[in-house]
Amino acid sequence: MFSNTRDALREKMARCDINRYAKRRLPILSWLTTYKLPWLPQDALAGFTVGLTAIPQGIAYGVVAGLSPEYGLYASFMASFVYIVFGSCKSITIGPTAIMATMVQPLVVAYGPDIAVLLTFLKGCMIALLGLFHLGFLLSFISLPVITGFTAAASINIAASQFKSLLGIPGRSEDLVDALDAIFSNLEKIRYQDTLLGVVTIAVLVLFKHLPGRRTGNWIQKIAWVVTLARNAIVVVVGTALAYIFFVNEQTPFVLTGTLGEGLPPFGPPPFSIIANNRTYDFIETTTAMGTTLFFVPVVSAIEHMAIAKAFAMGKSLDATQEMLALGLCNMFGSFVRSMPVTGSFTRTAVNHSSGVKTTFGGLFTGCLVLLASSLLTSTFRFIPKATLAAVIICAMYYMLDFKTYALLWRARKVDFFLMLITFLFCVFLKLEWGILIGIVLNLVILLYFSTRFTVQTEVEQTGDKALIRVTPEETIAFPAAEDFRARIMKLSENNSSNVVLDCKNLKRIDVTVAKNLKLLSNDLQLRGRAINCVNCRDNVEVVLKAIAPDTQSGPSGDQNLYH
């Protein structure tokens, strides 16, 4: 009887564990069973509003990546659908971003669009594996100054790559230097029509962004709020209508986007071999051609996504493993519909949050709207002026420049500011991948340098005619600082004939290298007729000292027998 009861209890607990795990890895199971009908209008409003932003941005970022504009749309709708099932943060929207586009663009120019689709699949696999094996902590080694410098450089390079389109000059630019050189070398090719349209579009976007609108205000404020959120879609629609009117009247004053792919995307596995430059590259050759981009695109994508997820978690605990798994799956599934690499978008996430979204179900409406545009409006998209898209991208990049963080780094810690600046300069004038790599390496060098430096308090304790030097480290001493610590104590003892007490109250841990140096220090002091004793040791510290340097042990607080 008792055996049957225990078996039933175990079976019930096993079912509970499976249910909890399923809800954790499929968050849709958590909110779908408790979904309330009043949430539907709010999710629908948020989804459609995000869609109005996602469509022009998807087209624009497809162009930035050197792809046909529909690739950005394919990426948006598939990511929206997948995140509904696997996403754990209701406000997050995943899709193409400017940084992803600019990182993949050199590969697309050299090898064609297939390499971007394969990169999307491989990136998804890598991020999903990082999440499953709980390796997201590795991203913590990339500091805020490095990320800030990289983002600023990417924003400037992306904006600069659109200068030629804004001015009506044919061709493309890779970065700031290339763009400025191309402009000053082709001043005679500047078209005043495109320039005027681009400048006016930028002015309108800035004006619309600063309209005093509120979602919960009066009807005028609500209209202003909608206009602010949909400003990218509005200027693209107006620019397209203007170009179409000129086209009907047999005039083409603007350089247009051109023909897009027709209808829905083809469904099929990503290309594991590609045809480019009049030859076929197999899988190994293709991944080799990706170079450092194959490593840095997943890393940057994960950093960008996790930063946005933390910002919009709104005080709730964030399941980093689930978010990385969701991001990986969005890319993996996206590669089956010819998607470019995707990650969390700060702009669209902010729009989603401010629209009052209740669950990730809002992504269904975003995906449907983008899918509708992909299938029915491709003939219309060909009339979008390049100057209009360039203006949208340039404005978006300007608002990615975080001037408050730059000032904060300068005021708080000059070392971090210059680390950000060095990363920024290398990213702008070299390559984004190499710039962030140099920033990471330099950051680790700085980290290692400070790990060899530490702060100690020293005081002389007098009892009668006897004296002790009490040395109290203010932080844990790691092995890079072991030799420097030993040298400091030896120098201190040269100027004082007293014994040394090492107060370990602030040492949370100690490694074998430090303990070994303490033993050598004890031997050196004994040759001078002096001694060193460790007091106030934590249990884990005491275990290491007893094993490596037992002759340095003494009472819990520095007993009087140390005065000898």
Side-chain angles (χ1 to χ4, degrees):
M1 175 180 175
F2 290 110
S3 177
N4 292 336
T5 303
R6 283 197 301 270
D7 291 342
L9 183 60
R10 287 196 192 99
E11 185 178 348
K12 184 176 180 180
M13 292 177 65
R15 285 199 300 269
C16 289
D17 289 341
I18 292 172
N19 289 336
R20 280 197 297 268
Y21 186 79
K23 288 183 178 181
R24 188 176 179 184
R25 293 294 166 249
L26 293 171
I28 188 174
L29 299 178
S30 297
W31 59 259
L32 191 60
T33 54
T34 58
Y35 196 84
K36 299 177 182 178
L37 193 60
W39 293 354
L40 185 61
Q42 291 178 272
D43 281 343
L45 173 63
F48 283 125
T49 305
V50 172
L52 291 175
T53 303
I55 291 172
Q57 284 192 345
I59 295 170
Y61 296 149
V63 172
V64 171
L67 298 163
S68 182
E70 69 269 15
Y71 280 79
L73 297 178
Y74 297 163
S76 293
F77 89 79
M78 179 54 76
S80 298
F81 289 152
V82 174
Y83 195 75
I84 294 172
V85 179
F86 297 99
S88 62
C89 183
K90 65 179 182 180
S91 297
I92 287 283
T93 62
I94 296 181
T97 65
I99 293 177
M100 290 293 98
T102 195
M103 291 186 75
V104 80
Q105 189 248 11
L107 292 178
V108 174
V109 172
Y111 298 99
D114 281 352
I115 198 169
V117 178
L118 179 58
L119 177 61
T120 302
F121 176 77
L122 295 177
K123 167 197 167 186
C125 294
M126 294 168 69
I127 293 176
L129 287 174
L130 283 175
L132 288 174
F133 289 105
H134 302 279
L135 297 176
F137 75 92
L138 295 174
L139 303 178
S140 302
F141 286 95
I142 305 177
S143 65
L144 175 63
V146 174
I147 296 172
T148 303
F150 170 81
T151 305
S155 302
I156 288 177
N157 276 347
I158 294 165
S161 70
Q162 299 303 305
F163 288 166
K164 292 175 74 174
S165 296
L166 187 76
L167 301 175
I169 299 174
R172 68 168 70 247
S173 301
E174 302 294 331
D175 50 39
L176 178 62
V177 176
D178 186 31
L180 294 177
D181 179 65
I183 291 171
F184 287 106
S185 301
N186 297 278
L187 292 175
E188 71 283 355
K189 295 182 181 179
I190 293 177
R191 295 166 52 90
Y192 75 88
Q193 302 98 321
D194 292 279
T195 304
L196 181 62
L197 176 63
V199 171
V200 170
T201 301
I202 290 176
V204 171
L205 286 170
V206 173
L207 176 65
F208 282 0
K209 180 175 175 61
H210 294 93
L211 288 177
R214 291 174 54 195
R215 182 168 64 93
T216 57
N218 56 43
W219 67 272
I220 296 178
Q221 291 175 320
K222 288 181 179 178
I223 292 175
W225 175 75
V226 172
V227 169
T228 300
L229 294 179
R231 62 186 182 278
N232 289 334
I234 292 172
V235 297
V236 169
V237 169
V238 172
T240 304
L242 191 61
Y244 182 74
I245 291 171
F246 280 113
F247 175 79
V248 170
N249 291 281
E250 300 181 348
Q251 299 181 47
T252 54
F254 310 124
V255 178
L256 303 180
T257 300
T259 305
L260 277 72
E262 293 294 333
L264 298 174
F267 185 85
F272 292 100
S273 63
I274 66 171
I275 299 174
N277 304 321
N278 298 320
R279 58 164 293 197
T280 299
Y281 293 81
D282 61 25
F283 179 75
I284 299 298
E285 291 175 322
T286 305
T287 53
T288 302
M290 292 178 184
T292 56
T293 304
L294 179 59
F295 169 73
F296 281 111
V297 166
V299 170
V300 172
S301 176
I303 292 171
E304 190 175 1
H305 181 82
M306 294 308 298
I308 294 169
K310 289 177 182 177
F312 286 90
M314 309 309 294
K316 296 182 179 179
S317 60
L318 179 68
D319 189 342
T321 297
Q322 183 59 34
E323 278 304 303
M324 293 186 73
L325 180 62
L327 177 59
L329 291 173
C330 283
N331 282 275
M332 291 168 65
F333 280 105
S335 67
F336 283 79
V337 293
R338 307 286 296 173
S339 166
M340 61 184 287
V342 296
T343 188
S345 165
F346 189 88
T347 302
R348 295 190 291 277
T349 298
V351 169
N352 202 26
H353 176 72
S354 63
S355 299
V357 70
K358 290 296 183 182
T359 66
T360 56
F361 191 56
L364 176 68
F365 301 95
T366 300
C368 288
L369 186 61
V370 175
L371 189 62
L372 184 68
S374 302
S375 58
L376 301 179
L377 301 178
T378 51
S379 58
T380 304
F381 291 152
R382 65 181 292 262
F383 293 104
I384 299 176
K386 284 189 174 182
T388 301
L389 287 181
V392 169
I393 295 169
I394 290 171
C395 273
M397 294 306 99
Y398 172 78
Y399 289 114
M400 282 183 67
L401 297 175
D402 193 351
F403 295 103
K404 290 183 179 179
T405 299
Y406 310 151
L408 179 65
L409 290 174
W410 175 259
R411 292 195 307 268
R413 195 164 181 254
K414 300 296 189 293
V415 171
D416 285 340
F417 176 83
F418 285 110
L419 175 61
M420 181 271 294
L421 185 61
I422 291 170
T423 304
F424 167 80
L425 292 174
F426 275 107
C427 285
V428 168
F429 295 107
L430 193 56
K431 282 181 67 177
L432 287 176
E433 298 94 318
W434 288 109
I436 193 172
L437 178 61
I438 291 170
I440 292 170
V441 171
L442 186 58
N443 201 171
L444 291 176
V445 169
I446 293 172
L447 185 64
L448 290 173
Y449 172 79
F450 282 109
S451 72
T452 65
R453 298 292 181 267
F454 55 91
T455 305
V456 295
Q457 293 180 349
T458 58
E459 58 180 323
V460 178
E461 297 182 355
Q462 192 77 32
T463 301
D465 58 346
K466 301 293 183 179
L468 270 179
I469 303 172
R470 182 175 289 270
V471 179
T472 308
E474 293 187 355
E475 55 195 318
T476 296
I477 303 172
F479 70 90
E483 190 60 41
D484 185 48
F485 178 70
R486 177 186 169 196
R488 281 204 204 184
I489 301 297
M490 287 298 295
K491 186 175 181 180
L492 190 65
S493 70
E494 289 177 358
N495 304 320
N496 199 307
S497 60
S498 304
N499 292 326
V500 178
V501 172
L502 178 62
D503 192 338
C504 301
K505 64 182 180 182
N506 295 328
L507 297 185
K508 296 180 180 179
R509 70 192 69 86
I510 191 171
D511 57 52
V512 172
T513 306
V514 175
K516 185 67 174 177
N517 273 265
L518 281 174
K519 181 175 177 61
L520 295 174
L521 175 62
S522 176
N523 294 337
D524 292 340
L525 290 174
Q526 283 179 11
L527 293 175
R528 298 182 179 182
R530 298 162 207 169
I532 181 170
N533 293 277
C534 300
V535 299
N536 296 327
C537 299
R538 300 179 185 227
D539 291 342
N540 59 333
V541 173
E542 190 171 355
V543 168
V544 177
L545 288 176
K546 281 182 177 179
I548 305 297
D551 52 336
T552 64
Q553 294 290 283
S554 69
S557 60
D559 297 332
Q560 292 300 315
N561 62 0
L562 300 178
Y563 295 87
H564 58 78

